[in-house]
């Protein structure tokens, strides 16, 4: 008779002891897994290990001065109008050929001396609002010392005016002591472009400010702006 025989002993308190097989014992269990500590670095140590991954913003311009976004450099656009006419005010429209931001104006005075200067803006065309202040935003209101027949920058505006590409904006420049413009046959005619903005002929205004009686033409002066995009 073949097979194996198991033996056991009796314990008086706990009962019989389980039989011990006489065959090959089972393999020992595998050790418990350990958690690695080097796969993910400590977050608190990461910035000191890689301090140059994200450069400091304050150092970026000095490292890459040519990478400054377009629009950082101010452009001066001279309208090219002569001094054949003068009046207290002039309204005109600009068309943006790129995204631009108007930052200031240079005014050419009729005579030397202090003059109250006001500059207004409105989106789109001015037509229908030449004699109506509604919808105009005040950009400048100061007394400045103008130079006779010489451009003088008025300085910072109360706010810059951003004009999206293919959009129009109108401006009204008023000087109590007068400014220059060149007479044309009509308003709204294309006058000049520098590839970023186009200026169109407008209307001259009298000393009562919101009163038109001076004719059509183009304002003589300089428009300062920055530009972005193509």
């Amino acid at each position: 008779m073949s097979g194996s025989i198991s033996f056991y002993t009796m314990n008086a308190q706990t009962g019989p002891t389980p039989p011990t097989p006489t065959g090959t014992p089972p393999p020992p269990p595998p050790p418990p897994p350990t958690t690695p500590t080097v796969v993910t670095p400590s977050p608190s140590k990461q910035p000191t290990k890689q301090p140059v991954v994200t450069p400091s913003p304050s150092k970026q311009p000095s490292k890459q001065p040519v990478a400054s976004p377009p629009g950082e450099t101010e452009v001066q656009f001279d309208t090219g109008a002569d001094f054949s006419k003068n009046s207290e005010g002039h309204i005109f429209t600009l068309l943006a050929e790129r995204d631009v931001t108007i930052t200031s104006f240079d005014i050419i005075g009729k005579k030397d001396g202090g003059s109250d200067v006001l500059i207004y803006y409105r989106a789109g065309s001015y037509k229908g609002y030449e004699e109506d202040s509604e919808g105009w935003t005040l950009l400048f209101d100061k007394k400045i010392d103008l130079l006779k027949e010489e451009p003088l920058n008025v300085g910072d505006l109360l706010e810059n005016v951003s004009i999206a590409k293919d959009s129009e904006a109108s401006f009204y420049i008023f000087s109590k002591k007068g400014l220059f413009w060149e007479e044309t046959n009509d308003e709204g005619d294309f006058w000049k472009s520098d590839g970023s903005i186009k200026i169109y002929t407008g209307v001259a205004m009298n000393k009562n400010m919101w009163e038109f009686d001076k004719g059509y033409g183009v304002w003589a002066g300089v428009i300062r702006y920055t530009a972005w995009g193509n």
Side-chain angles (χ1 to χ4, degrees), residues 10-16:
M10 179 70 71
N11 187 294
Q13 296 180 349
T14 61

Side-chain angles (χ1 to χ4, degrees), residues 153-187:
N153 181 241
V154 302
D156 293 337
L157 304 177
L158 293 174
E159 60 181 272
N160 294 336
V161 178
S162 294
I163 312 172
K165 181 180 179 181
D166 298 327
S167 298
E168 291 184 337
S170 297
F171 296 87
Y172 182 4
I173 300 178
F174 180 89
S175 172
K176 192 172 183 180
K177 292 292 180 67
L179 47 77
F180 288 106
W181 54 283
E182 181 176 341
E183 188 173 25
T184 61
N185 293 327
D186 202 354
E187 64 177 323

Side-chain angles (χ1 to χ4, degrees), residues 25-204:
T34 58
T35 302
T37 58
V38 294
V39 173
T40 304
S42 170
S44 62
K45 295 180 180 179
Q46 188 68 9
T48 59
K49 289 182 178 179
Q50 299 181 349
V52 296
V53 173
T54 303
S56 169
S58 61
K59 296 179 181 179
Q60 188 69 9
S62 60
K63 289 182 178 180
Q64 298 181 352
V66 297
S68 299
E72 289 291 325
T73 303
E74 186 177 65
V75 179
Q76 299 183 26
F77 175 78
D78 189 333
T79 65
D82 64 29
F83 304 162
S84 57
K85 294 288 185 178
N86 67 81
S87 64
E88 287 75 25
H90 201 91
I91 301 177
F92 58 90
T93 296
L94 299 178
L95 172 68
E97 299 178 272
R98 301 167 61 192
D99 293 340
V100 300
T101 298
I102 307 299
T103 57
S104 191
F105 296 88
D106 292 14
I107 296 178
I108 301 172
K110 178 183 175 183
K111 60 180 69 175
D112 292 332
S115 177
D116 294 322
V117 174
L118 295 95
I119 302 175
Y120 292 85
Y121 147 83
R122 68 175 294 116
S125 172
Y126 64 80
K127 291 185 178 181
Y129 295 92
E130 301 93 327
E131 299 180 318
D132 186 354
S133 62
E134 182 180 354
W136 291 91
T137 299
L138 180 66
L139 297 178
F140 188 87
D141 183 2
K142 287 184 181 179
K143 187 170 185 176
I144 61 176
D145 292 326
L146 296 178
L147 301 175
K148 181 180 179 180
E149 299 184 3
E150 293 291 338
L152 178 70
N153 181 241
V154 302
D156 293 337
L157 304 177
L158 293 174
E159 60 181 272
N160 294 336
V161 178
S162 294
I163 312 172
K165 181 180 179 181
D166 298 327
S167 298
E168 291 184 337
S170 297
F171 296 87
Y172 182 4
I173 300 178
F174 180 89
S175 172
K176 192 172 183 180
K177 292 292 180 67
L179 47 77
F180 288 106
W181 54 283
E182 181 176 341
E183 188 173 25
T184 61
N185 293 327
D186 202 354
E187 64 177 323
D189 291 337
F190 168 71
W191 175 259
K192 184 180 179 180
S193 168
D194 68 350
S196 294
I197 57 175
K198 289 181 178 180
I199 185 170
Y200 294 85
T201 57
V203 294

